[in-house]
Amino acid sequence: MAVNRRKFLKIGGASILAFGAKPAADALGISPTEWLDEKLGGFTIPETLLHLFRKPAGSVAGEALTAKRWAMVVNVRALDEEIAEACKEACHRVHNVPEIDNPKHEIKWIWQEEYEHVFPGQQHEHVDEALKKLPFLVMCNHCFNPPCCRVCPTKATFKRKKDGIVLMDMHRCIGCRFCMAACPFGARSFNWIIPWPRAGAEEERRFKGKEPPTPDYPTRAKGVVEKCNFCAERLAKGQIPACVEVSQELCKKKGREPALVFGDLEDPDSEVRQLLRLHYTIRRKPELGSHPNVYYIV
Ligand code: SF4
Ligand code: SF4
């Protein structure tokens, strides 16, 4: 059953409690892990890599995952088309991101880009051809200094103080799209049309099976902006982000290092900090000073 805008407002109020109250994965009845279990057989992973697949340090089963500053590390060399596609599918499924035939109206929370578009400042004629072919996963960077939040006239988008996640309060969004203009990463999408099937719109915008796949996660209204929320609703239930969970299951099966790792940037013992110590990483457009919290191992 679709949750319309009015219901979403009622459920969500003016805060991100809308995302925390009804975890999307629970509503599905299955977790991304279970979904993958149906598809995958047994796997093996070298013991030396197992620590990188842990939940964020300090987490307690069933309790909300907390951090002072959430961050993600994307190991592009551990990615392939299958993993990248599974990340996108999992994210869009648990957040009711619809499939749209018209590319002008597309909604994206996580997607693949080519190296030259992700790191235009790092592009030169001698860049490794293999690197150019890797599927770079991009999403909202949950910037430490987010320009999108500064320009929003209604504070519909804001950085959560306790952990730095940049969130949307959908019912405060007036659709001015200032945030979209301010984001240098194209991380935000605008809902040009209503998100559920209706006469005349069905051929353009729909969910697989015609209904939102996660009934308890709110669908969005026409005229609002949306983007990746670092799975705030899942963190509130002690679950890691859907894309991270799915990618780690696939990486385990393939016997490779995790392609996505999530953790507390301010915890020196967290998995993300371990990776940042071990590897040279880059962030998108550092010259702009937004300080992305998504790091890339290339
Ligand atoms: S990536 Fe864009 S939308 Fe996300 S926090 Fe940074 S500026 Fe805002
Ligand atoms: S963190 Fe969550 S919302 Fe963001 S891209 Fe990954 S699955 Fe989607």
Side-chain angles (χ1 to χ4, degrees), residues 139-143 146-148 166 182-185 187-188 227 290:
M139 68 208 86
C140 171
N141 290 289
H142 296 273
C143 303
C148 53
V166 175
C183 173
F185 307 103
R188 293 169 171 269
K227 67 168 193 69
S290 73

Side-chain angles (χ1 to χ4, degrees), residues 72 87 91 95 109-110 139 142 228-231 241-244:
M72 192 181 293
C87 291
C91 170
H95 297 115
W109 282 35
I110 181 169
M139 68 208 86
H142 296 273
C228 158
N229 66 353
F230 257 5
C231 282
C243 58
V244 177

